[in-house]
Amino acid sequence: MAKVKPFIIGTRNAGEFLHAGAKVLSNGGSAIDAVEASTKLVEANPKDDSVGYGGVPNLLGKVELDASIMDGKTLKTGAVGAVKSYMHVISIARMVMEKTPHVMLVGNGAELFAKSMGFKKQNLLTKESKAAYQSFLTKYANLPKEGEKPWYVNYDVDFGLRGWYDKLTDKQHGTVNIMAIDKNSDICSGVSTSGTAFKFPGRLGDSPIIGAGNYCDNRFGAAACTGRGELAIRLSLARTILSYMENGMTVREACARGMKDINELGEKGGMNCLAMDNKGNTMSASTSRENTHWYMDVDSKAAEQRKGIYIPE
Ligand code: GLY
C-alpha cells in the first residue's frame, strides 16, 4: 500500500490547535506525540467548556475529566476517568499506556498515579464554569433542602436527572477527538472531555472506554465519538465503526451506519463521530446537526475545514 502523507484531524473544537500536532508530524515525530500535543492545547483552552481547564463541573460543582489514547500499531491503550484537579488527562492516559500494565485508572487512583508521575495539581474551575454551575443550581432551586436526604440523591432518583439528560443539547456534551497518521503509517487516536455537564459524580462516559469513545488500528484506521457517551458505550461505537470499515465500508459509509445504529436506539441526546482510514480518507458524522471536522497535513499552511454528514433521526 502506498504511504499516506502524514496528517492530523480533529473535531470542530480542535481546528485552531491542530498546528501543534502537524508540526510534530512535519518534524518526523510520531502520531502519538502529535495527538498528545494538539489535545493538550485544547485541554488548556479555558474557552472550551467541555474539555480540560474550564470544563463544566459535575453535579457537586467539581470538574471531573476523562481521557483515552490508543496506539494503532500495538493496540496498546491508556485511559483515565473521573480525574479532579489535573488538567492534562491525555498525558496521564498516555502514561498509563506506556508506564503501567493497566489500561484504565479512575478517581483517586488515577490522581495518585498522576501525582506520582509528577503532574501538577490545579484548580480546573474558571469564573465561567463556576457561573455555569451557579446558574444550573438557580434553575433547579426547587431541589429538596439539605438535611432531608442528600439533595443530589433525591435529584438523581426522584427528580429529573434523566429528564435533564434528555434535554441536553450538543453544547452540554462536548469532547475533543484528535487522530493522526505519521511517516511510518502508524495511527494514534486520543479523546479528552469533562463529560456531560452537571453529571452525577463518578459518571464515566464513552471517552475513557476503549471501543466505545475511541479506537484505532493501523490495519484499518481510527474512529472516535463525541455526544451522549452512554449511547456510544451501549453500541461499542468506535470499534463498531472500525469494524464496518474492516468489512469493506468506506469511512463515509461506516460513519453513516454508526449514526443510524445510534438513531435506532431511539434515545435523545445526539451522537457524533470522527473517523479516518489508513489511506488518507477522513469523515465526521452527527445525528443532531450539520457537522464538520478539521484536517492538516505536513504541507498545510492552515487547518482545512471538511464537511461531515448529518444523519437525522
Ligand atoms: N462523549 C462524552 C461523554 O459522554 O462524556
Side-chain angles (χ1 to χ4, degrees):
M1 192 168 60
K3 280 220 164 159
V4 172
K5 192 195 284 189
F7 70 85
I8 184 163
I9 59 172
T11 40
R12 57 185 180 162
N13 52 349
E16 60 185 304
F17 304 110
L18 288 188
H19 62 87
K23 190 166 170 207
V24 170
L25 296 174
S26 49
N27 287 338
S30 71
I32 297 176
D33 285 342
V35 167
E36 183 184 13
S38 284
T39 308
K40 282 176 76 172
L41 293 183
V42 185
E43 290 174 336
N45 177 18
K47 291 195 198 121
D48 192 319
D49 65 4
S50 64
V51 182
Y53 179 57
V56 175
N58 68 16
L59 204 48
L60 298 184
K62 298 261 186 268
V63 180
E64 239 179 34
L65 304 178
D66 307 330
S68 63
I69 192 160
M70 185 154 188
D71 174 359
K73 181 180 179 186
T74 59
L75 304 189
K76 284 187 178 163
T77 176
V80 290
V83 172
K84 295 195 265 293
S85 308
Y86 291 92
M87 175 164 64
H88 290 308
V89 277
I90 194 70
S91 303
I92 306 171
R94 180 175 179 177
M95 289 267 185
V96 171
M97 173 170 81
E98 291 179 348
K99 307 271 185 217
T100 81
H102 311 305
V103 160
M104 188 191 287
L105 293 174
V106 300
N108 292 343
E111 287 155 21
L112 182 67
F113 175 71
K115 187 177 171 198
S116 63
M117 289 288 122
F119 289 91
K120 283 225 165 60
K121 219 171 164 172
Q122 72 172 90
N123 178 12
L124 299 175
L125 276 174
T126 55
K127 202 161 70 130
E128 289 73 19
S129 58
K130 263 189 218 159
Y133 184 64
Q134 281 315 318
S135 101
F136 167 78
L137 285 185
T138 308
K139 201 166 161 198
Y140 286 80
N142 60 348
L143 291 168
K145 298 282 171 287
E146 282 193 51
E148 285 181 59
K149 225 204 264 186
W151 70 264
Y152 43 87
V153 173
N154 264 351
Y155 175 69
D156 193 20
V157 178
D158 305 332
F159 285 75
L161 188 57
R162 183 172 285 275
W164 162 251
Y165 247 68
D166 285 347
K167 284 191 210 89
L168 288 173
T169 63
D170 255 356
K171 200 167 157 37
Q172 276 108 5
H173 11 229
T175 293
V176 66
N177 301 155
I178 296 183
M179 46 192 68
I181 184 164
D182 63 27
K183 67 174 191 327
N184 299 321
S185 303
D186 289 330
I187 297 175
C188 172
S189 52
V191 178
S192 184
T193 189
S194 52
T196 305
F198 317 119
K199 62 192 176 185
F200 200 84
R203 173 265 185 191
L204 296 180
D206 57 327
S207 306
I209 298 180
I210 289 302
N214 187 9
Y215 203 82
C216 72
D217 182 328
N218 277 6
R219 293 173 299 169
F220 317 114
C225 309
T226 66
R228 185 169 177 172
E230 282 78 2
L231 307 183
I233 294 171
R234 285 166 61 187
L235 290 176
S236 300
L237 188 61
R239 182 63 182 98
T240 297
I241 289 171
L242 221 56
S243 296
Y244 288 142
M245 285 156 59
E246 180 178 351
N247 288 302
M249 286 189 187
T250 63
V251 195
R252 184 185 181 92
E253 288 165 347
C255 288
R257 176 65 196 271
M259 295 301 99
K260 280 192 190 124
D261 293 348
I262 289 286
N263 286 337
E264 280 168 18
L265 293 176
E267 301 267 5
K268 295 189 181 117
M271 204 68 227
N272 317 289
C273 65
L274 174 73
M276 56 180 268
D277 64 18
N278 60 6
K279 299 173 204 73
N281 300 299
T282 72
M283 188 45 66
S284 55
S286 173
T287 63
S288 57
R289 57 176 158 81
E290 295 298 335
N291 183 275
T292 58
H293 59 283
W294 293 93
Y295 168 95
M296 272 189 100
D297 63 37
V298 288
D299 297 324
S300 303
K301 298 274 175 287
E304 165 196 331
Q305 193 166 22
R306 292 188 165 182
K307 200 167 158 37
I309 41 178
Y310 177 24
I311 311 288
E313 289 166 39

